[in-house]
Amino acid sequence: MRAHATAQLTGDRSHQCDATATFTHRGARSYALLDGIGSNDEVRDWARTTARRLARAAAREGAEPGLRAVHAAIAADPARQDPYTELPCAVAVVAVVSDQRLQVAWCGDSRAYLLPPGAREAVCLTADHNMRRQLQDMGLTPGPYDRNLVTSYLGDTRPDWLLGTRSVPAGGRLLLASDGAYEPLEDAGADLAAHLAGTPQAAARALVAAAVAHATGPADNATALVADL
């Protein structure tokens, strides 16, 4: 069994609405992380249930097909067709290790990083789905809050829903991180890989503690899942 661990801090939020889950199916191992949009009991519980659902689907079907299937089922809920009904939503990233390959799929701005064996720098495998990235891709300068406006998420009923995918050789240390875990460190210019030493449990705890400590405003939920591939 591959070693992995998750660490979470609530920060200054009222609820911990990030969630992680893992699942193994016929040798394929999945790791999922959701960042619920909002801060209440309903979002917290929905994110936890949906993370488990996504991990199962991804292990059985693959990262991209699994994420597509879960999203399609959520978006097809008749209650979500009512524009006046607010139901829980979340950004998501899922990684699957199978046949020596690491498959990653995501929607929103939670990230996957890979620290290859012997490397000193973690490579980001995902590209954020938020207004900041969209404006940058258009050659425009984003504002300070544009990164908070996600452009893709589970529960999005728009036909042009975005899904990102990446496949690389499996090896090294995998990190899945919510924006509350990576953004404070990124803003401070901190070396993210410096917080990935030791056991997966020690690394995950060190990363979220550093993220909350570096927050310049109210600290967001910070969640890190670290796995040795």
Side-chain angles (χ1 to χ4, degrees):
M1 184 67 67
R2 302 178 183 91
H4 78 278
T6 294
Q8 294 185 295
L9 289 176
T10 303
D12 295 314
R13 292 290 191 114
S14 62
H15 294 67
Q16 174 54 264
C17 291
D18 295 347
T20 65
T22 64
F23 197 83
T24 302
H25 179 71
R26 296 182 178 177
R29 180 73 165 173
S30 69
Y31 306 91
L33 186 152
L34 266 65
D35 181 350
I37 299 173
S39 192
N40 57 50
D41 290 346
E42 185 181 14
V43 173
R44 178 197 62 202
D45 296 344
W46 183 86
R48 291 174 178 175
T49 299
T50 306
R52 294 192 292 268
R53 183 180 180 183
L54 176 57
R56 287 194 299 269
R60 290 170 173 159
E61 304 175 34
E64 179 182 358
L67 183 55
R68 286 192 184 279
V70 170
H71 168 73
I74 293 170
D77 182 349
R80 292 188 182 271
Q81 312 313 311
D82 183 350
Y84 300 104
T85 300
E86 291 189 8
L87 294 177
C89 300
V91 300
V93 59
V94 62
V96 177
V97 181
S98 178
D99 298 326
Q100 305 303 312
R101 297 293 296 180
L102 173 64
Q103 312 163 29
V104 180
W106 71 94
C107 60
D109 59 358
S110 288
R111 293 181 182 176
Y113 294 85
L114 184 65
L115 183 65
R120 297 182 178 181
E121 185 173 340
V123 179
C124 185
L125 302 178
T126 55
D128 299 339
H129 293 147
N130 58 23
M131 188 58 66
R132 174 178 61 183
R133 181 62 181 254
Q134 185 171 314
L135 291 172
Q136 289 172 336
D137 288 345
M138 295 169 62
L140 302 175
T141 301
Y145 301 108
D146 285 330
R147 67 184 181 188
N148 298 325
L149 301 175
V150 294
T151 54
S152 182
Y153 53 90
L154 290 176
D156 188 350
T157 58
R158 294 173 300 177
D160 57 348
W161 172 75
L162 296 173
L163 181 148
T165 63
R166 183 86 178 267
S167 178
V168 297
R173 175 159 280 188
L174 171 71
L175 166 66
L176 303 185
S178 63
D179 63 343
Y182 68 77
E183 277 190 349
L185 298 176
E186 188 176 75
D187 290 348
D191 180 7
L192 199 149
H195 300 285
L196 293 178
T199 65
Q201 184 177 62
R205 288 177 174 175
L207 195 142
V208 297
V212 171
H214 280 82
T216 55
D220 196 1
N221 292 165
T223 297
L225 187 157
V226 177
D228 286 332
L229 307 184

